[in-house]
Amino acid sequence: MFMQREPRSMGPSSITGAAGYTGFAEGLKLSATARHREKELIYAQGDEAGDIFIVEFGCVRVSRITLEGRRLVTGFYFAGEVFGFETGSERQCYAEALEYSGTRKFHLEDRDLTNPRIADMLFDYLESTHQHLLILGTQNAIERVAAFLVGIADRRGGDGPRARLPMSRSDIADHLGLTLETVSRAIHRLQVLKLITLVGARDVILLDREALIDLGA
Amino acid sequence: MFMQREPRSMGPSSITGAAGYTGFAEGLKLSATARHREKELIYAQGDEAGDIFIVEFGCVRVSRITLEGRRLVTGFYFAGEVFGFETGSERQCYAEALEYSGTRKFHLEDRDLTNPRIADMLFDYLESTHQHLLILGTQNAIERVAAFLVGIADRRGGDGPRARLPMSRSDIADHLGLTLETVSRAIHRLQVLKLITLVGARDVILLDREALIDLGA
DNA sequence: CGCTCATTTGAATCTAATCAACTCCTGTGG
DNA sequence: CCACAGGAGTTGATTAGATTCAAATGAGCG
């Protein structure tokens, strides 16, 4: 299995809730790298909140289950990105490794945002949440999927218009407020429109990034 | 960690993006009250960000327009609630008074969150954004409208199960990712279900708050 | 190679959007 | 006081888009 291990992902945060940083570690007491097997739970709903995580390699999915049992995937996080912000003392979300992944964490004491680095991370997270909200509030299926793919590709940095999708169609669907079948059909339509090419089910090549952005922005 | 520093004036923040506070003014250099006529613009898309507003009386609507010209109403803010957080240096959203309203503001210097009161406001705002996201990501029309009405009624505090809606059906629709006709029909269905009563078009009485929460939570 | 699970594809159904007409409310002016 | 105008809201008919249910295909893994 090919494991992507990018040095860093920069770029503005995207719809999947990323906050990319270089040099984020300065001034933060980071834990040693914890390694997680595929599907391993990193934290659970109900856990005590307060730890913030940084992805070293791999990909993490953060989700939340509603009272009716429906799932919202709040974000996917790649190398260099930060996840784990919560507003209460108990976690409402849970996080899992989508593939073999490494994370480091630091403790956020009592909502202490005096460290401007942490404040920036929180603002970036807020921005990605706004972007996600805009997509769920205003876009249709094909627009959502287009925006999602552009967001993923942008964050994977230097490797051009190609991106691997470590998440399933069902994960994408629950992130975009759609069903997995609708996601599959939207991807198919994007191929017919010659805006993307699929290589297998989990690799996409963006053929016309501008058109995708026009659709999804 | 993440403990509340201070009792809130109202329940947990709701889907409309409210952060209600008593005594919020302590330690903040608030401006004098600015008064706004109905429909008056409080700030515009493109304005310099950095000021945070507190509603003294009335109601404020915050919205954002997408490139395609679609509108997302990110929140409605009532007396005691805080709005105006943005992630960049330029505002992406614009704010308008829905009725004769008063606001006071303070300046947030360069994302400075060292004041724990401001950090709390930001966390509350993040929580309301999460709630909004959950609704747009997982709920259908009648559930969205039920959740919206409960949220409004909860925030209007002491005046029992009755709430005035200073916003139009179209505003509600753009907040919930629906059309105004769908909102109107959902309200009608909630009446038929005997969960609410309408008094005119802009006043609702919640008859069965539990059932509404079951629908919308 | 064969199993399992993810994905795709198809058909039917259903929800919400769209387009259109009509009602209601409110404010204005004769 | 009543008539009228204009905007907001409701209601109806139709359409479009996404969901649901079901089956077939494909990919990865032992």
Side-chain angles (χ1 to χ4, degrees), chain B residues 169-171 173-174 178-185:
Chain B
R169 297 289 185 267
S170 169
D171 290 334
D174 287 350
L178 302 170
T179 61
L180 66 94
E181 295 96 331
T182 298
V183 169
S184 181
R185 283 186 245 263

Side-chain angles (χ1 to χ4, degrees), chain A residues 23-209:
Chain A
F24 51 71
E26 298 163 38
L28 295 178
K29 277 176 285 188
L30 288 183
S31 73
T33 300
R35 283 153 211 282
H36 313 278
R37 291 182 309 279
E38 188 182 331
K39 294 182 183 163
E40 188 179 313
L41 189 67
I42 300 175
Y43 59 74
Q45 203 153 357
D47 280 3
E48 191 181 7
D51 283 341
I52 308 295
F53 295 78
I54 296 167
V55 180
E56 292 242 305
F57 61 88
C59 182
V60 172
R61 177 186 70 207
V62 177
S63 326
R64 185 171 174 176
I65 303 289
T66 69
L67 298 180
E68 300 90 15
R70 291 178 280 215
R71 180 179 68 148
L72 178 73
V73 172
T74 58
F76 302 103
Y77 301 91
F78 295 98
E81 300 177 340
V82 175
F83 67 96
F85 285 107
E86 297 255 352
T87 54
S89 57
E90 262 192 21
R91 292 204 179 276
Q92 309 285 337
C93 300
Y94 62 99
E96 293 162 286
L98 275 179
E99 57 192 10
Y100 177 61
S101 303
T103 63
R104 304 180 72 181
K105 65 182 175 186
F106 61 91
H107 189 72
L108 182 59
E109 193 62 52
D110 195 25
R111 292 184 164 185
D112 177 19
L113 299 176
T114 50
N115 184 330
R117 235 172 262 290
I118 300 178
D120 279 350
M121 289 175 187
L122 185 59
F123 271 98
D124 276 11
Y125 176 58
L126 187 60
E127 178 168 341
S128 70
T129 305
H130 271 161
Q131 186 62 23
H132 194 184
L133 205 46
L134 201 63
I135 286 168
L136 295 192
T138 67
Q139 304 199 141
N140 63 23
I142 198 165
E143 292 168 339
R144 293 181 197 203
V145 172
F148 175 78
L149 294 178
V150 171
I152 294 290
D154 280 359
R155 285 153 60 195
R156 312 233 60 181
D159 39 342
R162 179 161 179 163
R164 172 152 180 82
L165 305 174
M167 69 293 289
S168 70
R169 298 290 185 267
S170 169
D171 290 334
I172 299 172
D174 287 351
H175 183 60
L176 299 178
L178 302 169
T179 62
L180 67 96
E181 295 96 332
T182 299
V183 170
S184 179
R185 282 185 246 263
I187 290 175
H188 178 76
R189 279 199 287 160
L190 289 174
Q191 274 190 289
V192 171
L193 291 170
K194 302 235 180 292
L195 303 186
I196 65 170
T197 299
L198 268 192
V199 184
R202 297 276 185 118
D203 272 281
V204 280
I205 301 173
L206 307 195
L207 300 176
D208 191 342
R209 199 173 160 283

Side-chain angles (χ1 to χ4, degrees), chain A residues 66-70, chain B residues 15 131-132 134-151 172 175-176 178 182-183 185-187 189-190 193 195 209 211-217:
Chain A
T66 69
L67 298 180
E68 300 90 15
R70 291 178 280 215
Chain B
I15 66 167
Q131 186 61 24
H132 194 184
L134 201 63
I135 286 168
L136 295 192
T138 66
Q139 304 200 141
N140 64 21
I142 197 165
E143 292 167 339
R144 292 180 198 204
V145 171
F148 174 78
L149 294 177
V150 171
I172 299 172
H175 183 60
L176 298 178
L178 302 170
T182 298
V183 169
R185 283 186 245 263
I187 289 175
R189 279 199 285 161
L190 290 174
L193 291 169
L195 303 186
R209 199 173 162 284
L212 286 167
I213 290 174
D214 285 352
L215 255 185

